[in-house]
Amino acid sequence: MKNVYVAMSADFIHSAHLGVLEKAKELGDVTVGVLSEKAIVTYKRLPLLSVEERVKIASNLKDVSHVVIQEDVNPTELLRELKPDYVVHGHDWVQG
């Protein structure tokens, strides 16, 4: 089974997030990297929920196998550690 990595803030889950996770699950076991507050504030506002709450939400999504905390907006070091076969980003699944 292949390993798939998807990063998300998981502050507000909507249908597009669920669609990305469904597509990612087709590729293999999905690990979600929930961005820490430190990572999120580098590109948008503070999240509404704590990282612990967001990890709990992501952990309970049906297409998610594992959850880790992504401490930096740049996932390079975490990806080197996890060594996923695929990295999926929401915009990769936009079809037109």
Side-chain angles (χ1 to χ4, degrees):
M1 177 72 70
K2 300 285 185 176
N3 294 306
V4 185
Y5 186 81
V6 179
M8 58 183 357
S9 65
D11 199 30
F12 174 74
I13 303 295
H14 52 76
S15 61
H17 291 127
L18 298 177
V20 168
L21 293 172
E22 286 174 13
K23 289 291 189 180
K25 183 66 176 175
E26 291 175 10
L27 298 171
D29 285 330
V30 176
T31 296
V32 167
V34 173
L35 278 76
S36 69
E37 285 88 352
K38 176 185 151 199
I40 292 173
V41 298
T42 63
Y43 72 96
K44 65 180 183 180
R45 55 141 180 87
L46 277 170
L48 300 172
L49 303 174
S50 71
V51 71
E52 294 82 13
E53 291 172 300
R54 293 179 290 116
V55 164
K56 185 172 183 177
I57 290 167
S59 296
N60 282 282
L61 297 173
K62 71 177 180 114
D63 294 315
V64 175
S65 301
H66 310 283
V67 176
V68 297
I69 297 174
Q70 182 176 315
E71 294 290 347
D72 194 311
V73 72
N74 180 337
T76 302
E77 290 304 314
L78 184 58
L79 295 176
R80 284 186 180 134
E81 179 184 325
L82 297 175
K83 297 178 176 54
D85 298 293
Y86 301 103
V87 176
V88 174
H89 187 273
H91 295 288
D92 294 345
W93 298 106
V94 174
Q95 296 182 15

